[in-house]
Amino acid sequence: MRLLVTGGRGGYLGRHVVRAAREAGHDVVAVGSVDADVRDRAAVHALVARHAPDAIVHTAYDQSDWDVTATGAAHLALAAARHGVRMVLVSSDAVFSGRSPAYDESARPDPITAYGAAKAAAETAALAVVDDVVVARTSLICGDGRSKHEDLVHRAVGGADVALFEDEVRCPVHVGDLASALVELAAGSRRGVLHLGGADDVSRLELGRLVAVRDGLDPSALRAGRRADLEDPGPIRVRLDSSLAGRTLVTRLRGAREFLAP
């Protein structure tokens, strides 16, 4: 299978997807912004036509740029539909408000942030335009020691003025597990929405303490805070129900308490 991975050159998740796909024996085309600006519809169509992939894994995004996150995904979806290419769109738990105790694949997006709205728009475009598509919603991505979440913990222990929220709950997933799951989906036949969160729901503070213990740091040096005290807190407790992925994928999505164990 020839797999085109957006964000595969410089993106954190994209690089892991490229590695997992190559290890699985696939022909991989890793692309970044130097290859095509996803905001440019003509450039995206030319890119897909030139490389003629069997599937696209779209990991590229920019939390502060609607055109990259939403419009760019729509351009990829249109190109995938035109050329008959399967698409795996990486989405986020940010499409949910956090008002429900948990979210499975039947839950309707109700974003309360600009980024969440952009991801929800990207999902809508992909599901409307591409017949052969998977929308893979995930949570905090970490686990290899190089994620922004793990870097934040090291900076906090080192004295940076950083508080880790004790009331914000997510379902962190190991970047390697997620990458393998995305490659499995790209090579498979499942369609529609699938949640790819980790098995454990943990607070940002607990996640930080797990990272600290794993890395031989002092977890008591981490300062607790409350996201609810912010003027515009955004979603606070978002638990992805990923049991469907657990029943249908070969790849196992471990929980943070397992993959961050010392």
Side-chain angles (χ1 to χ4, degrees):
M1 179 184 71
R2 169 166 278 201
L3 184 62
L4 188 149
V5 182
T6 67
R9 285 185 181 270
Y12 175 61
L13 173 60
R15 294 195 304 270
H16 280 269
V17 173
V18 168
R19 181 184 306 155
R22 286 176 175 159
E23 289 175 351
H26 300 302
D27 178 18
V28 183
V29 179
V31 299
S33 57
V34 297
D35 303 288
D37 184 345
V38 295
R39 298 170 296 185
D40 184 333
R41 180 176 174 179
V44 169
H45 279 266
L47 178 76
V48 175
R50 181 166 67 253
H51 292 292
D54 299 298
I56 297 168
V57 177
H58 183 42
T59 74
Y61 74 101
D62 185 332
Q63 283 198 359
S64 61
D65 192 324
W66 176 281
D67 285 338
V68 171
T69 301
T71 308
H75 290 162
L76 261 296
L78 288 167
R82 173 182 292 182
H83 297 283
V85 177
R86 179 168 170 79
M87 182 176 183
V88 179
L89 171 69
V90 179
S91 189
S92 168
D93 59 6
V95 301
F96 297 121
S97 67
R99 297 187 181 105
S100 295
Y103 294 90
D104 65 12
E105 287 80 0
S106 67
R108 294 177 63 87
D110 60 342
I112 56 175
T113 63
Y115 173 61
K119 277 295 192 183
E123 291 186 6
T124 299
L127 291 167
V129 171
V130 188
D131 289 331
D132 194 8
V133 63
V134 180
V135 169
R137 294 186 186 128
T138 191
S139 188
L140 305 181
I141 306 171
C142 58
D144 68 342
R146 297 180 177 87
S147 71
K148 62 182 181 180
H149 309 292
E150 290 156 288
D151 177 66
L152 181 66
V153 172
H154 280 250
R155 290 193 290 111
V157 171
D161 184 18
V162 174
L164 300 182
F165 298 126
E166 60 187 354
D167 60 339
E168 180 185 358
V169 173
R170 293 292 191 273
C171 296
V173 63
H174 192 286
V175 63
D177 295 349
L178 178 59
S180 295
L182 294 171
V183 172
E184 182 180 343
L185 287 170
S189 59
R190 173 169 291 279
R191 298 181 178 184
V193 177
L194 189 66
H195 287 178
L196 300 180
D200 299 329
D201 53 283
V202 300
S203 70
R204 291 269 193 171
L205 180 60
E206 182 181 356
L207 180 65
R209 288 170 174 165
L210 289 169
V211 170
V213 171
R214 181 201 63 184
D215 294 346
L217 304 175
D218 180 8
S220 67
L222 298 174
R223 180 166 62 87
R226 285 177 48 81
R227 190 179 183 108
D229 294 336
L230 300 179
E231 183 177 351
D232 184 15
I236 296 178
R237 305 173 74 85
V238 183
R239 293 181 173 91
L240 286 184
D241 180 347
S242 300
S243 57
L244 179 59
R247 296 192 301 270
T248 58
L249 294 182
V250 173
T251 304
R252 190 168 72 89
L253 302 172
R254 293 169 291 167
R257 296 184 185 100
E258 178 181 352
F259 69 72
L260 290 175

